[in-house]
Amino acid sequence: MFVKKGFKQQTINDVGIGNGTVAFQGVKLNVHCFVVDGVLIDTGAKSLEKEFKPFMKQQDIDQVVITHFHEDHTGCAAFLEKELQLPIYMNDRMLDYCAMKPDYPLYRKFFWGKRSPFHAKVIGKTFSSRNATWDVIETPGHAIDHVAFLNRQTGQLFTGDLYCQEKTKVVLREECIPTIIDSLTKVVAYDFGEVFCAHAGYLMDGRASLQRKLDYLVQLQGKTIKLYEDGMPPSQIGTTLFPKKYPITYLSSGEWGSSHIINSIIQEHTKKS
Ligand SMILES: [Zn+2]
């Protein structure tokens, strides 16, 4: 089986950007990591370690911060800890999980590789780099430990997997749309401009992008609840709002799907009422 890998790097407004890609049979995935002011944000995937290593060695890094535990963000953390002896910080919720051999489905191991155990320290509500103070903003929904990082000096915001794309059509089974809506609402109240997304990359007018995503999800939530209240079964709401099936749904045996969007909205709604 032939997996095609690629890597590109560039610098935008003092942020070093590494972007690795993995492609197999029409499915192309990509992941970014970012370096600014001695801070490396996220560590790429193990399957792209050969590609990410030279980039990381080249950069001037004092510390590593991680947005969430997923293997495409933590894949080179063991290398950074052992070979570059860098301190790694993340939310405490998945810290112990990261110190162990992970367990996730085969297709994810195939694309992203097998993440090695690593040892991170608990990140606080803020941290400092050479010239800046940073806010650590808890933004769960995509993952329970998800955080975003705001450089208060530059107004640059690093959002991990909070954004990814404006019009979300498929999510992971454990994702929760209402929680993502809360997280986006919280984030847009901060003072920031540019956004650096782990998958979409650099978003010049990041604030507008995040706001559009928030509006889209709120609308989707409203439509879903309306159809549900009108008596439509969730599976039919799914096919009504998302008539297309996506290759990742088959490839992941349903771990990614549009139905998880609908189900998470209905679940939260019925909890409330
Ligand atoms: Zn993720």
Side-chain angles (χ1 to χ4, degrees), residues 67-73 108 112 142-143 146 160-162 164 172 174-175 198-199 256:
T67 58
H68 65 296
F69 73 98
H70 287 159
E71 66 276 5
D72 47 334
H73 300 256
R108 281 164 59 177
W112 297 129
H142 169 75
H146 196 286
D161 283 359
L162 178 63
C164 294
L172 282 165
E174 70 257 27
E175 290 194 59
H199 296 290
W256 285 90

Side-chain angles (χ1 to χ4, degrees), residues 120-156:
K121 301 177 177 76
V122 181
I123 198 161
K125 287 194 180 340
T126 62
F127 68 91
S128 308
S129 57
R130 297 171 191 180
N131 304 297
T133 302
W134 296 63
D135 288 306
V136 178
I137 310 169
E138 289 200 18
T139 44
H142 169 75
I144 58 163
D145 66 331
H146 196 286
V147 290
F149 302 114
L150 173 62
N151 182 322
R152 284 189 202 163
Q153 266 60 33
T154 62
Q156 290 167 324

Side-chain angles (χ1 to χ4, degrees), residues 58-265:
Q58 219 174 75
Q59 303 289 328
D60 193 7
I61 305 170
D62 309 322
Q63 55 184 325
V64 181
V65 297
I66 289 175
T67 58
H68 65 296
F69 73 98
H70 287 159
E71 66 276 5
D72 47 334
H73 300 256
T74 51
C76 302
F79 157 75
L80 292 156
E81 179 192 355
K82 290 198 185 92
E83 289 187 45
L84 303 188
Q85 265 126 45
L86 290 166
I88 303 171
Y89 301 93
M90 66 190 290
N91 184 308
D92 64 335
R93 299 195 69 163
M94 296 303 280
L95 215 88
D96 293 342
Y97 174 84
C98 287
M100 298 182 302
K101 270 195 180 166
D103 183 28
Y104 47 84
L106 200 66
Y107 81 93
R108 281 164 59 177
K109 289 181 180 151
F110 178 73
F111 275 104
W112 297 129
K114 286 186 208 163
R115 194 260 298 146
S116 302
F118 65 94
H119 304 88
K121 301 177 177 76
V122 181
I123 198 161
K125 287 194 180 340
T126 62
F127 68 91
S128 308
S129 57
R130 297 171 191 180
N131 304 297
T133 302
W134 296 63
D135 288 306
V136 178
I137 310 169
E138 289 200 18
T139 44
H142 169 75
I144 58 163
D145 66 331
H146 196 286
V147 290
F149 302 114
L150 173 62
N151 182 322
R152 284 189 202 163
Q153 266 60 33
T154 62
Q156 290 167 324
L157 179 68
F158 297 82
T159 53
D161 283 359
L162 178 63
Y163 176 78
C164 294
Q165 56 178 343
E166 185 185 318
K167 295 202 159 86
T168 306
K169 302 262 190 327
V170 288
V171 298
L172 282 165
R173 188 173 287 123
E174 70 257 27
E175 290 194 59
C176 178
I177 296 297
T179 310
I180 295 174
I181 289 176
D182 292 345
S183 290
L184 282 164
T185 306
K186 184 179 186 182
V187 159
V188 294
Y190 281 81
D191 189 15
F192 67 95
E194 296 175 331
V195 165
F196 295 81
C197 167
H199 296 290
Y202 174 64
L203 305 167
M204 190 165 62
D205 197 354
R207 168 172 293 284
S209 301
L210 293 190
Q211 186 62 54
R212 280 197 302 272
K213 184 182 182 95
L214 175 58
D215 296 343
Y216 164 78
L217 290 181
V218 168
Q219 242 186 35
L220 187 62
Q221 186 183 36
K223 280 185 205 162
T224 303
I225 292 171
K226 169 89 176 54
L227 293 173
Y228 179 74
E229 294 282 305
D230 288 349
M232 193 184 270
S235 60
Q236 201 185 334
I237 301 174
T239 49
T240 305
L241 297 180
F242 301 101
K244 222 181 123 188
K245 282 271 164 286
Y246 297 88
I248 189 77
T249 302
Y250 300 110
L251 196 94
S252 68
S253 310
E255 192 183 38
W256 285 90
S258 308
S259 59
H260 310 317
I261 296 178
I262 306 298
N263 293 339
S264 72
I265 292 172

Side-chain angles (χ1 to χ4, degrees), residues 7-20 32-36 55 58-59 196 200-203:
F7 190 83
K8 272 191 273 183
Q9 67 183 78
Q10 60 175 325
T11 302
I12 299 176
N13 297 335
D14 298 324
V15 178
I17 304 175
N19 179 25
H32 293 74
C33 68
F34 306 102
V35 186
V36 63
F55 171 77
Q58 219 174 75
Q59 303 289 328
F196 295 81
Y202 174 64
L203 305 167

